[in-house]
Amino acid sequence: MSDLAAVVERERAETAMDALAAEGVYDDSRSVRPYGEGVAVPVTAPPERVDVLEVVETDLPPRNRDLRDLLAARGWTDDELDRAPASWAVVGTCVLVRAREESLPRPDEVGEALLELHGEADTVLLSHGIAGEHREPDVEVLAGLGDTEVVHTEHGTRYALDLAETMFSPGNQAERVRMGEVVAPDERVLDMFAGIGYFTLPMARAGADVTAVEVNPTAYRYLVENAVLNGVEDRVSAFRADCRDVDAAADRVVMGYYDAPDYLDAALDALAPGGTVHLHATTPESDPWAHPVSRLESVAGERGRGVEVGDRRVVKSHAPGVEHVVVDAIVD
């Protein structure tokens, strides 16, 4: 047979594509397209290790990864094409685009073109950023069904969330993966700003015992749901509270919040001697380490504790001239 496709449930499309690629049968030269109530994923041979609904013969067009080509076919001018989104992320069954609405020509056509590019998706969202104490997203539906509740799979960790109510940063993926690699089984971890479980879930899946604290009630609901979804509910103790009000003893403290340096008193009160803190912050690109390191050393010094700074990482650009960074340190 030729032009084979494996049909999978729409909500499993992202995971199935990764599994088919790992088996070596995913055909990335052809597009993914809706098929009945599911999604047709192109394959070079019937899969043997991946569960699918059925394998069918169907014509799937060549995969076009160039948004500019699709928009040019819709009659966009060179000036309009230069203002088209340069990047986006597929989160579950949603395509998430970050762009200034006032600079984005024909937003509805951008949405339709992105759905054409990503047949596994059913909704395109334009993000206007994150705001407020609870870090709530502001998104607009550009195209598709408008269903913003998704299950996103990332290196085996499953995140259920509503992109219209809870934040999700694709640019933090490497850091989420890394946290699942640095913890040891049975290590005690305090995740002070857990959200839906961004760092909690990879660490718990690696065997750590995580105290996860989240003040946003919607994010907290997904945090609890995601612990069950990933089978780690026995290793996650979740609290809907201000992290400064939770008593915990930890070998490792994760501070995944831009204003985390303001919470170092509570972090070091929980951190056992010789423990590790992962301090996130937003800092000037010209001097990214001065403020978080000096603040950490100052708060530790007030407690008569020393600091050994280890790895320092730029996670992503936060804004022009501003970096999102992480400082890892051992505090004696």
Side-chain angles (χ1 to χ4, degrees):
M1 292 190 294
S2 61
D3 293 335
L4 293 179
V7 180
V8 300
E9 299 90 340
R10 183 178 290 276
E11 61 272 15
R12 283 189 59 232
E14 189 179 15
T15 303
M17 290 165 64
D18 289 342
L20 292 167
E23 186 174 333
V25 296
Y26 175 51
D27 181 1
D28 63 3
S29 69
R30 293 184 289 141
S31 295
V32 177
R33 286 290 183 269
Y35 190 93
E37 295 298 316
V39 173
V41 179
V43 293
T44 56
E48 297 180 356
R49 302 196 300 269
V50 181
D51 289 334
V52 300
L53 297 177
E54 59 179 324
V55 176
V56 299
E57 268 192 291
T58 184
D59 292 329
L60 296 176
R63 184 162 185 165
N64 184 345
R65 295 183 177 86
D66 194 339
L67 178 63
R68 289 178 64 94
D69 287 348
L70 293 178
L71 295 175
R74 288 169 164 80
W76 281 43
T77 67
D78 288 342
D79 176 67
E80 288 175 321
L81 290 172
D82 289 340
R83 292 156 54 202
S87 63
W88 52 88
V90 180
V91 182
T93 54
C94 285
V95 179
L96 188 62
V97 183
R98 287 184 171 85
R100 295 195 309 275
E101 184 180 13
E102 63 274 13
S103 67
L104 185 64
R106 312 193 213 179
D108 55 337
E109 293 187 10
V110 172
E112 294 298 336
L114 285 169
L115 285 180
E116 188 174 339
L117 275 179
H118 298 283
E120 72 274 25
D122 59 27
T123 298
V124 178
L125 299 175
L126 176 64
S127 171
H128 298 291
I130 305 295
E133 178 185 354
H134 288 172
R135 298 174 289 169
E136 294 170 335
D138 179 10
V139 297
E140 172 188 353
V141 176
L142 291 187
L145 299 179
D147 185 0
T148 57
E149 192 166 25
V150 302
V151 177
H152 176 66
T153 303
E154 194 174 86
H155 291 266
T157 301
R158 303 179 71 194
Y159 297 93
L161 71 152
D162 189 329
L163 288 165
E165 297 187 0
T166 50
M167 62 169 287
F168 190 87
S169 177
N172 292 357
Q173 177 177 340
E175 192 66 20
R176 288 190 288 270
V177 173
R178 185 177 186 277
M179 294 313 301
E181 296 172 345
V182 299
V183 294
D186 299 323
E187 186 174 39
R188 300 172 303 167
V189 179
L190 171 60
D191 187 353
M192 296 179 70
F193 310 96
I196 64 168
Y198 312 107
F199 302 125
T200 289
L201 298 173
M203 292 187 295
R205 291 183 65 236
D209 293 317
V210 186
T211 299
V213 188
E214 176 53 45
V215 70
N216 182 322
T218 302
Y220 174 80
R221 175 170 59 86
Y222 281 110
L223 169 65
V224 174
E225 178 181 332
N226 285 330
V228 176
L229 184 63
N230 286 273
V232 294
E233 62 270 27
D234 292 341
R235 292 198 290 275
V236 175
S237 298
F239 294 86
R240 186 167 77 83
D242 186 308
C243 58
R244 292 167 293 195
D245 298 331
V246 175
D247 291 328
D251 306 305
R252 186 181 302 272
V253 174
V254 181
M255 307 180 72
Y257 181 43
Y258 292 148
D259 293 331
D262 296 337
Y263 294 76
L264 275 166
D265 290 292
L268 296 192
D269 286 346
L271 187 65
T276 299
V277 61
H278 303 276
L279 175 62
H280 290 238
T282 50
T283 60
E285 183 180 24
S286 58
D287 190 4
W289 312 115
H291 173 66
V293 171
S294 64
R295 178 68 177 146
L296 177 56
E297 291 175 340
S298 174
V299 175
E302 292 169 0
R303 287 161 170 71
R305 303 178 69 173
V307 174
E308 180 184 343
V309 175
D311 194 19
R312 301 181 296 185
R313 298 177 302 287
V314 175
V315 177
K316 64 181 184 299
S317 174
H318 175 67
V322 180
E323 304 279 26
H324 171 189
V325 303
V326 184
V327 175
D328 298 344
I330 297 173
V331 183
D332 64 22

